């Protein structure tokens, strides 16, 4: 993950989660309207796949990923699981394809500093990935035809 390490990770983690929320909704303006899945398409870039994993009144849990192959089960990266706190306007990474959830890594509750640093690194990664995705013009849709077109290789 990142080699950047802020002095005050608690404050930086909160700011990154706020920023990630704003960036997610710029990338996917109609995020709240998707029930199960959606595909974001753009010219000459791999499709972005959105899966709604859980929906509650104040939270939304999603997985966002790219697929680099015709088979959706292959080469899906980074497969980031994100919990979106709609009321607080925060988006927090729970895990990605390469890194497990915090509770699997740190089972000692006394490891607060390590837990916060781990969460910061996960969310810092999401921030940089969202910046990359925002440089393109992805359009998300429910449409099955667009989803089928999205799995064509580059």
């Amino acid at each position: 993950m990142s080699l950047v390490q802020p002095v005050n990770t608690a404050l930086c983690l909160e700011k990154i989660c706020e920023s990630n929320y704003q960036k997610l909704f710029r990338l996917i303006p109609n995020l709240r309207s998707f029930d199960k899945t959606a595909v974001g398409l753009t010219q000459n870039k791999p499709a972005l796949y959105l899966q709604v994993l859980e929906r509650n009144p104040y939270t939304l849990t999603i997985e966002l990923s790219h697929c680099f192959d015709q088979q959706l089960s292959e080469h899906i990266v980074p497969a980031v699981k994100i919990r979106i706190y709609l009321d607080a306007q925060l988006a927090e990474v729970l895990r990605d394809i390469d890194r497990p959830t915090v509770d699997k890594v740190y089972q000692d509750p006394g490891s607060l500093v390590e837990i916060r640093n781990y969460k910061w690194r996960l969310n810092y990664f999401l921030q940089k990935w969202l910046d990359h995705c925002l440089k393109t013009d992805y359009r998300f849709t429910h449409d099955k035809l667009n989803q089928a077109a999205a799995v064509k290789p580059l």
Side-chain angles (χ1 to χ4, degrees):
M1 277 193 259
S2 168
L3 297 177
V4 177
Q5 187 64 39
V7 174
N8 186 344
T9 53
L11 176 64
C12 289
L13 179 59
E14 180 180 348
K15 295 299 179 190
I16 283 178
C17 290
E18 289 172 358
S19 172
N20 287 345
Y21 177 91
Q22 293 166 358
K23 289 175 184 188
L24 270 172
F25 278 92
R26 272 193 293 154
L27 180 65
I28 314 167
N30 50 349
L31 178 60
R32 292 180 190 213
S33 71
F34 296 115
D35 292 325
K36 299 279 183 206
T37 62
V39 176
L41 301 174
T42 192
Q43 295 256 327
N44 303 319
K45 299 281 183 183
L48 273 172
Y49 292 88
L50 168 71
Q51 182 178 7
V52 177
L53 303 173
E54 183 180 332
R55 181 182 301 276
N56 292 303
Y58 302 107
T59 63
L60 183 63
T61 304
I62 65 169
E63 185 170 276
L64 193 60
S65 60
H66 282 294
C67 183
F68 295 97
D69 200 348
Q70 282 185 296
Q71 301 298 321
L72 285 177
S73 62
E74 298 178 27
H75 299 99
I76 294 181
V77 289
V80 179
K81 184 176 180 182
I82 306 163
R83 171 135 327 119
I84 301 167
Y85 299 91
L86 301 167
D87 54 344
Q89 296 188 344
L90 300 170
E92 176 187 22
V93 177
L94 301 177
R95 65 155 179 80
D96 68 21
I97 197 166
D98 292 328
R99 287 167 279 283
T101 58
V102 173
D103 63 332
K104 301 284 188 232
V105 177
Y106 298 102
Q107 296 173 353
D108 176 14
S111 304
L112 185 60
V113 172
E114 291 87 4
I115 291 170
R116 192 172 50 232
N117 289 342
Y118 186 76
K119 285 183 167 190
W120 184 86
R121 288 190 304 271
L122 286 170
N123 286 282
Y124 181 76
F125 167 77
L126 178 62
Q127 181 184 53
K128 295 305 175 190
W129 185 44
L130 290 172
D131 286 342
H132 171 75
C133 292
L134 283 166
K135 290 178 185 174
T136 62
D137 191 26
Y138 281 101
R139 300 280 184 229
F140 279 80
T141 180
H142 299 274
D143 186 22
K144 300 277 187 217
L145 291 175
N146 282 338
Q147 289 179 357
V151 295
K152 289 184 179 175
L154 296 174

